[in-house]
Amino acid sequence: MSWQGHLLDTLRHLQPATVCALDPSAHELAGQLYARGQLQRYQGATATRSELALGIDALDRLDSRQAFELLAKVRTYVAPALLIVARRDCALDADAFRALGFNASFSDRVENVAIYHYDIATYKPVPDWLNANYWANPERWEP
């Protein structure tokens, strides 16, 4: 399967109500699945909230600081879920994506393309110890 096919399958699976395309390539790809009202272009600080942001060429020609800032802004202000394509010459490596909370979704070694996914809903699972059983128990208190 190609990385474009993987992106389309992921979009079909996630079924977001609205998508924000971070670049023209993402807008063209998402346009295959979404109507005009469901799809918007990224307008920087004035972008409206969407359920998912999609970037294909968004990180091209950005240095690591600019790429980090773009992803952080989009993640915080535009969409709680992101799908990002990182090409071989991307300024961010796999460790940088992990540091931002992204998971590797797909890797195409032939075309040197990786797809990363971020979703705030699955970013950090609730640990076992975070429940009422481990909170203060007055019956166990010994003065």
Side-chain angles (χ1 to χ4, degrees):
M1 173 184 288
S2 70
W3 62 269
Q4 294 98 335
H6 176 76
L7 275 177
L8 288 170
D9 286 348
T10 304
L11 288 170
R12 284 186 195 106
H13 173 72
L14 294 174
Q15 297 180 349
T18 56
V19 175
C20 178
L22 301 178
D23 55 75
S25 298
H27 192 270
E28 182 180 326
L29 183 92
Q32 296 175 23
L33 297 176
Y34 296 97
R36 175 170 276 169
Q38 296 174 297
L39 183 60
Q40 68 166 335
R41 292 183 192 267
Y42 177 65
Q43 301 295 327
T46 63
T48 58
R49 290 289 286 176
S50 295
E51 285 188 21
L52 178 88
L54 176 64
I56 295 177
D57 297 329
L59 301 180
D60 293 356
R61 295 178 302 280
L62 296 179
D63 64 27
S64 61
R65 187 175 144 267
Q66 292 169 325
F68 184 86
E69 287 176 1
L70 174 67
L71 293 177
K73 284 179 188 175
V74 170
R75 185 180 66 180
T76 303
Y77 300 113
V78 177
L82 284 86
L83 275 174
I84 299 293
V85 174
R87 300 184 196 285
R88 178 185 54 186
D89 58 349
C90 181
L92 300 178
D93 61 0
D95 291 334
F97 279 103
R98 268 193 304 279
L100 284 165
F102 285 83
N103 293 316
S105 169
F106 183 81
S107 180
D108 185 343
R109 296 184 192 272
V110 174
E111 293 190 45
N112 288 321
V113 172
I115 298 174
Y116 292 94
H117 181 248
Y118 172 86
D119 190 349
I120 190 68
T122 60
Y123 172 68
K124 182 169 181 1
V126 177
D128 273 350
W129 58 265
L130 189 57
N131 62 50
N133 295 333
Y134 296 103
W135 291 96
N137 295 308
E139 66 275 3
R140 294 185 182 171
W141 180 260
E142 294 179 22

